[in-house]
Amino acid sequence: MITRNSQNDSASSVDDNHAEAIEKKKSELLEEELFKEDNSVQEEPEITREQLALSKKLLNWRTLVPLVIVIAAIAFFVRQEHIDPQKTWAAIRSANFIFLLAAFVIYYLSFPLRALRWRLLLENVGYTQANGVKLPKFWKLVEIIFISWFANAIVPAKLGDLYRAYLLRQEAGVSATRSFGTVLAERLLDLSVLLLLFIPSLIISLHSHLPPQLRIGLEITLAAVIIGIAGLFMLRLFRTHITKMIPTRYHGHYDHFQEGTLGSFRRLPVLTGLTFGVWACEALRFFFVAMALNLISGDLLHIVTATCFIALGEALLTVVPFTGGGIGLVEGGMLAMITLFTKGLANALSLATAAILLDRTISLFSIIALGFIVFMLAFGRQATKQVKKS
């Protein structure tokens, strides 16, 4: 009896191992097939420099008209609210320089984390040396991401995301369309982790001021995000077992679905950890800005959750592609969020304005200034390469 059971268990184990080996082989063959497809579609129309010319996009009416409207709205608001430039400047001058420096450094630490995460996503879709693809070196990937942030800061519609895929094609000769798919996968990761951090920060920091209906809605949203992320983990970890539960005639459809939706999400725990690191850098940036100005009072937990709520809320506002860098919409949203925590403070409006200016100097204006320099250096190197080739 015992011998028979052990034999059955052994046979079952062999079957499972055999099934896993088959699935692994299928995955490898799929990656090779996708890579061959990339080589065969080089004659298809790809993204061109003319389509992504930043000078044309910057001078386009779709960029200029929203920007003019936003600047006019900001000027009108400043006059209506009687914001005192002298008091705002005095608040900026009194800010703790060490905290501001910490905010700047920790924000820029997020770019190496983003580059490492993107490299993993690119490897996940088959861009490896085993498949004949030599990805750019790590710091070149950092440069590409930084230039894409520069593009997003000066033109609307998140053009920088597409520009990133184009730059990778220039460097590695890979398909820009599939590279853009990894950028979309990255955005999905960002949104999931962003909501995981934003909603608890909102609930904790404003727990005594949230209407019960809103609190319940936020908790349901948070639960849905957690369930969705857990579902991704389950689909990746138990792929073989799930396949067995599906009728044989649907195996092909499920394999295509699984590869199409989760192909970029291999090594998901590592990707998730890096994404948490990215958003921790974003949140800590505004935390140090707030500390530099003594913007928010209370215990450390309250200050951390409040600044996390404001910083991540700012990030959510940049998703709206109305203007480059979310100019106008982000500043208005930040002022509304900061006001929730500065009621009763002397010169609250001047302090809030100073905090917004300092934070946006780090997260927007420094990107424009430094990004322009990096962009011109990269453009010059590319032009030199083309001259040498010709």
Side-chain angles (χ1 to χ4, degrees):
M1 185 81 171
I2 294 174
T3 303
R4 187 181 298 115
N5 287 339
S6 64
Q7 289 175 343
N8 290 339
D9 291 340
S10 177
S12 176
S13 176
V14 170
D15 289 342
D16 287 343
N17 291 336
H18 183 63
E20 289 178 4
I22 291 174
E23 291 299 327
K24 185 178 180 180
K25 187 64 177 177
K26 284 171 64 179
S27 179
E28 291 173 356
L29 290 173
L30 179 61
E31 285 186 1
E32 292 177 7
E33 182 181 336
L34 289 173
F35 178 68
K36 290 176 183 176
E37 287 176 3
D38 274 351
N39 290 335
S40 66
V41 297
Q42 288 184 1
E43 295 181 359
E44 294 181 6
E46 274 281 7
I47 303 168
T48 64
R49 180 185 293 273
E50 289 72 24
Q51 290 174 316
L52 297 176
L54 294 183
S55 58
K56 292 181 180 179
K57 297 293 182 182
L58 184 60
L59 299 176
N60 190 288
W61 68 268
R62 293 183 181 88
T63 301
L64 295 177
V65 171
L67 189 60
V68 170
I69 293 172
V70 163
I71 292 173
I74 291 174
F76 177 77
F77 177 81
V78 169
R79 291 192 62 181
Q80 285 293 109
E81 295 298 321
H82 305 292
I83 295 176
D84 190 336
Q86 291 183 342
K87 290 182 179 179
T88 300
W89 177 240
I92 292 174
R93 290 185 62 184
S94 65
N96 186 305
F97 176 76
I98 301 299
F99 281 137
L100 292 179
L101 182 61
F104 181 87
V105 171
I106 200 140
Y107 175 65
Y108 276 84
L109 282 176
S110 69
F111 288 99
L113 291 178
R114 292 180 187 277
L116 181 57
R117 181 181 61 175
W118 191 34
R119 188 179 189 88
L120 291 176
L121 288 168
L122 291 169
E123 290 173 354
N124 285 347
V125 298
Y127 290 160
T128 61
Q129 287 190 348
N131 287 331
V133 177
K134 186 177 180 181
L135 289 174
K137 293 182 179 179
F138 175 75
W139 289 109
K140 185 62 183 181
L141 289 177
V142 175
E143 178 187 281
I144 290 174
I145 290 176
F146 195 67
I147 291 174
S148 74
W149 249 246
F150 164 69
N152 279 336
I154 62 174
V155 294
K158 292 290 183 183
L159 183 71
D161 292 351
L162 198 58
Y163 201 69
R164 196 203 308 188
Y166 167 74
L167 291 176
L168 184 65
R169 174 177 168 77
Q170 278 194 321
E171 289 294 326
V174 295
S175 167
T177 50
R178 192 178 338 156
S179 299
F180 184 63
T182 65
V183 177
L184 293 180
E186 179 185 287
R187 292 302 184 189
L188 179 59
L189 274 171
D190 277 335
L191 183 60
S192 299
V193 173
L194 180 59
L195 290 174
L196 275 178
L197 294 172
F198 175 75
I199 295 174
S201 298
L202 172 58
I203 293 173
I204 295 171
S205 61
L206 293 173
H207 62 93
S208 60
H209 303 288
L210 278 178
Q213 297 86 348
L214 179 58
R215 185 186 182 92
I216 292 171
L218 289 171
E219 289 172 350
I220 292 173
T221 303
L222 179 60
V225 172
I226 293 172
I227 291 170
I229 293 173
L232 289 176
F233 274 101
M234 296 290 285
L235 285 173
R236 279 252 39 112
L237 294 175
F238 301 104
R239 172 178 176 173
T240 304
H241 296 84
I242 294 173
T243 302
K244 290 179 180 178
M245 297 167 59
I246 297 173
T248 306
R249 63 180 182 276
Y250 295 123
H251 281 186
H253 296 291
Y254 175 72
D255 286 340
H256 286 299
F257 166 77
Q258 208 271 353
E259 286 297 332
T261 55
L262 299 175
S264 296
F265 294 129
R266 297 181 181 91
R267 294 176 285 186
L268 190 56
V270 179
L271 291 171
T272 304
L274 288 171
T275 306
F276 270 101
V278 166
W279 290 111
C281 290
E282 294 275 354
L284 285 171
R285 182 198 72 235
F286 189 76
F287 169 79
F288 284 117
V289 169
M291 293 294 289
L293 294 167
N294 290 319
L295 182 66
I296 299 171
S297 58
D299 57 59
L300 183 60
L301 177 62
H302 176 70
I303 295 173
V304 168
T305 54
T307 52
C308 186
F309 160 62
I310 294 167
L312 300 181
E314 173 188 350
L316 283 172
L317 289 170
T318 61
V319 174
V320 182
F322 184 62
T323 57
I327 293 174
L329 183 63
V330 169
E331 289 76 16
M334 286 184 71
L335 183 61
M337 290 185 286
I338 292 172
T339 303
L340 296 172
F341 303 98
T342 57
K343 291 178 180 178
L345 285 180
N347 298 326
L349 189 57
S350 297
L351 274 174
T353 305
I356 292 169
L357 288 174
L358 288 171
D359 184 72
R360 294 292 273 169
T361 296
I362 295 170
S363 65
L364 178 66
F365 300 125
S366 74
I367 293 288
I368 294 174
L370 297 176
F372 177 75
I373 295 171
V374 174
F375 173 78
M376 293 305 295
L377 289 174
F379 183 80
R381 286 197 301 269
Q382 189 66 29
T384 303
K385 285 182 182 179
Q386 290 178 350
V387 169
K388 289 181 178 179
K389 285 181 181 178
S390 60

